[in-house]
Amino acid sequence: LDLGTDALFALAFEGHPYGLPALGTVDSLRALRRKDLTGHHLDHVAQHNVVVAIVGDVDPDRALKRLAQAGANMPPQTRDPLAPMALAPMERVRRRVIPRPERKTEVLLGFPGVAVRAPERYAMEILTAVLTGQSGRLFTRLREDHGGVYDVDALSWEGLDAGLLIVSFATSAERAPFCLDVFWQEVGRILDAGLSDEEVARAKQALVGGVEISFQRRG
């Protein structure tokens, strides 16, 4: 799935840093030099944005004093943040097929999404929950009604410059065209009739429950 995600971002954000692997490539890592790393550190690490967490049997006053001494030579502010980069609009369907020896087929579809500061991002969360929750449209149609499909998922990825709505599922190569037809049928239903009040309420409840669960710890 990581291979497919990298390929999807490369197609969706062609010519933009979002289209590059976050961990870099063999060539980009080999090209890094010490001055590149130290320059990045000096540009982005400063007194106003450093957070230090200390856990253990320590003297708080002594620890704070040592931290103050260590940070005295740090610059007070970093350089100005990078300005958002313009993205070329998606004017055509871009497709890539990566042959693999595995018997299953991973299908990923990406659509223009919204940036992280856009108020519409909350609506996108509702949409993804309606599509692929335990009783979601795609989950129900692809897994329960027809079977042979797994890992049905949808997410809204938001960056500072733009976003991407991602829908994915895994199945056999023979069933992939049928599953795509089912997906486009559901897209047509949403475009024609929208979402029902019951679906939206259920999605909201699931999202709120997910946030509450995220605060639970094993302790």
Side-chain angles (χ1 to χ4, degrees):
L1 190 58
D2 289 341
L3 177 63
T5 302
D6 287 345
L8 176 63
F9 273 72
L11 290 175
F13 299 115
E14 191 174 9
H16 189 281
Y18 291 165
L20 302 174
L23 295 178
T25 64
V26 173
D27 291 337
S28 66
L29 290 174
R30 284 176 176 168
L32 280 176
R33 297 293 180 265
R34 183 177 184 277
K35 63 180 180 60
D36 300 319
L37 300 177
T38 55
H40 179 83
H41 181 88
L42 292 173
D43 284 341
H44 298 285
V45 180
Q47 293 178 8
H48 76 104
N49 64 3
V50 170
V51 177
V52 179
I54 301 176
V55 179
D57 185 14
V58 299
D59 182 333
D61 294 332
R62 185 179 178 186
L64 288 173
K65 183 178 180 180
R66 292 289 299 273
L67 285 174
Q69 293 172 348
N73 295 326
M74 293 178 62
Q77 293 282 333
T78 59
R79 70 175 186 181
D80 293 336
L82 296 175
M85 291 183 63
L87 275 162
M90 295 184 193
E91 298 178 346
R92 60 181 175 85
V93 175
R94 300 168 184 170
R95 181 176 301 166
R96 184 179 178 189
V97 178
I98 304 176
R100 301 288 291 172
E102 291 86 354
R103 296 183 62 184
K104 73 174 183 177
T105 295
E106 297 278 358
V107 180
L108 295 95
L109 302 103
F111 305 88
V114 297
V116 70
R117 293 189 178 93
E120 295 86 357
R121 67 186 186 277
Y122 302 113
M124 297 291 278
E125 292 291 342
I126 295 292
L127 177 60
T128 59
V130 168
L131 285 174
T132 59
Q134 289 296 317
S135 56
R137 293 192 181 196
L138 284 180
F139 187 92
T140 301
R141 292 282 314 272
L142 292 177
R143 291 202 58 174
E144 297 183 6
D145 294 353
H146 300 290
V149 182
Y150 47 98
D151 292 340
V152 181
D153 195 16
L155 65 93
S156 176
W157 179 89
E158 294 104 13
L160 289 174
D161 299 349
L164 193 66
L165 174 63
I166 304 171
V167 178
S168 64
F169 57 85
T171 185
S172 64
E174 296 78 17
R175 290 185 60 82
F178 168 77
C179 294
L180 283 171
D181 287 340
V182 172
F183 167 75
W184 290 118
Q185 290 171 17
E186 292 304 318
V187 170
R189 288 177 56 199
I190 292 175
L191 292 175
D192 291 339
L195 306 177
S196 69
D197 292 340
E198 180 183 357
E199 284 180 311
V200 173
R202 188 166 57 240
K204 287 182 177 180
Q205 185 177 14
L207 291 170
V208 170
V211 172
E212 293 178 346
I213 291 175
S214 71
F215 288 112
Q216 297 180 8
R217 296 292 183 268
R218 293 182 179 86

